[in-house]
């Protein structure tokens, strides 16, 4: 059931994103809000159905709650992203922040985390076969640092697509956009550094709050892996072809490739059967498997 619900929500989300370049004005703004809500429901719903209420609550606390807090501070003080203001096109605001903005953090935080876990050996076979996660011992320090780094970059690099697209639509504006990355005028470098800062805090807090259930991946996570890779490849295509944003297509492709490209390679190896961590079987987890 977990996968059926997740695949259905993902299909609706993909359809909405395909429609985005075909709309303009208020219709596009409304579709943007709907897409973010769908993404939030997909990620939080998957976390709840696949791992239980503790994980879903932790994800909402650190990504949605934390996302709102950091955005409210950012709007009020300019720290850590730089000085910016949101327009009124993204719906109701609280403390100057549209309510959908923290939902966007949550939408991509969960698949970015699962992608990093998959890449650092947190698969079902490893978790049940005497590897680093066996017996609840958790990953080694080196693997943990690598996991946090991959998850952080996997989330923060998404903004290399997101911010240029949203600024081009007028959904927010920067008061001082210098210095900026080449080709991405209108957005200060401090914005991307702020994303990195919050992303590393978010990813570092997720595991302690969520518990050991987030240290592994299995077949139920395939929709989230698909979401991450769809976001990567569709964003490159949309920015390069449909949105006339070639610079952000290049920057986003380079930034998200740190996580996305190794993920593709890992999945292809697993499909060929050459990866000992191939997810053909899932360990039984009392109280969670009943949700399938």
């Amino acid at each position: 059931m977990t996968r059926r619900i997740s695949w259905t929500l993902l299909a609706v989300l993909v359809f909405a994103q395909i429609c985005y370049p075909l709309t303009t004005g208020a219709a596009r703004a409304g579709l943007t809000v709907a897409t973010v809500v769908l993404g939030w429901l997909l990620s939080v719903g998957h976390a709840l159905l696949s791992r239980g209420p503790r994980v879903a609550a932790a994800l909402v606390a650190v990504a949605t709650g934390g996302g709102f807090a950091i955005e409210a501070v950012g709007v009020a003080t300019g720290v850590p992203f730089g000085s910016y203001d949101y327009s009124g096109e993204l719906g109701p605001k609280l403390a100057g922040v549209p309510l959908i903005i923290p939902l966007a953090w949550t939408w991509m935080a969960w698949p970015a985390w699962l992608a990093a876990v998959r890449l650092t050996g947190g698969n079902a076979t490893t978790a049940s076969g005497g590897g680093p996660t066996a017996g609840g011992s958790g990953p080694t320090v080196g693997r943990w640092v690598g996991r946090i780094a991959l998850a952080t970059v996997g989330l923060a690099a998404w903004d290399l697509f997101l911010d240029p697209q949203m600024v081009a639509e007028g959904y927010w504006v920067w008061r001082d956009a210098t210095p900026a990355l080449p080709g991405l005028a209108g957005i200060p470098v401090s914005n991307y550094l702020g994303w990195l800062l919050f992303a590393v805090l978010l990813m570092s807090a997720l595991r302690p709050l969520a518990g050991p259930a987030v240290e592994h991946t299995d077949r139920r996570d395939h929709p989230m892996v698909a979401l991450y890779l769809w976001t990567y490849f569709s964003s490159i295509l949309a920015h390069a072809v449909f949105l006339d944003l070639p610079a952000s297509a290049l920057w986003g492709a380079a930034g998200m490739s740190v996580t996305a490209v190794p993920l593709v390679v890992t999945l292809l190896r697993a499909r060929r059967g050459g990866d000992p961590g191939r997810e053909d079987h899932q360990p039984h987890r009392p109280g969670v498997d009943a949700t399938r």
Side-chain angles (χ1 to χ4, degrees), residues 88-279:
E89 296 186 64
L90 294 179
K93 298 180 186 179
L94 180 62
V97 180
L99 295 179
I100 70 158
I101 295 300
L103 305 189
W105 283 100
T106 315
W107 167 19
M108 282 303 295
W110 184 236
W113 172 264
L114 292 176
V117 171
R118 182 65 179 86
L119 288 172
T120 53
N123 52 66
T125 302
T126 301
S128 61
T133 60
S137 59
T140 63
V141 172
R143 182 168 294 178
W144 176 252
V145 171
R147 181 171 295 176
I148 295 298
L150 279 171
T152 295
V153 173
L155 172 59
W158 177 49
D159 193 52
L160 292 165
F161 289 120
L162 181 65
D163 229 273
Q165 181 179 337
M166 298 297 103
V167 168
E169 293 297 331
Y171 296 154
W172 57 81
V173 62
W174 295 91
R175 299 171 193 162
D176 182 3
T178 57
L181 293 175
L184 300 184
I187 305 161
V189 172
S190 60
N191 170 64
Y192 304 110
L193 297 177
W195 268 72
L196 280 171
L197 172 63
F198 179 62
V200 73
L201 294 175
L202 188 163
M203 297 304 178
S204 298
L206 182 59
R207 165 58 181 88
L209 289 175
V214 298
E215 289 185 356
H216 57 77
T217 62
D218 56 45
R219 292 180 299 179
R220 295 168 301 169
D221 299 328
H222 290 175
M224 293 295 99
V225 172
L227 170 61
Y228 192 82
L229 294 179
W230 158 259
T231 300
Y232 178 60
F233 290 111
S234 68
S235 295
I236 295 173
L237 177 63
H239 282 235
V241 177
F242 298 106
L243 301 178
D244 194 26
L245 296 169
S248 58
L250 292 173
W251 278 106
M256 284 188 74
S257 70
V258 174
T259 301
V261 171
L263 182 60
V264 170
V265 172
T266 297
L267 295 174
L268 290 175
R269 287 177 176 171
R271 179 171 289 275
R272 290 197 302 266
D275 185 349
R278 187 177 182 181
E279 297 166 356

Side-chain angles (χ1 to χ4, degrees), residues 1 13 23 175 183 197:
M1 178 178 292
L13 175 62
T23 60
R175 299 171 193 162
L197 172 63

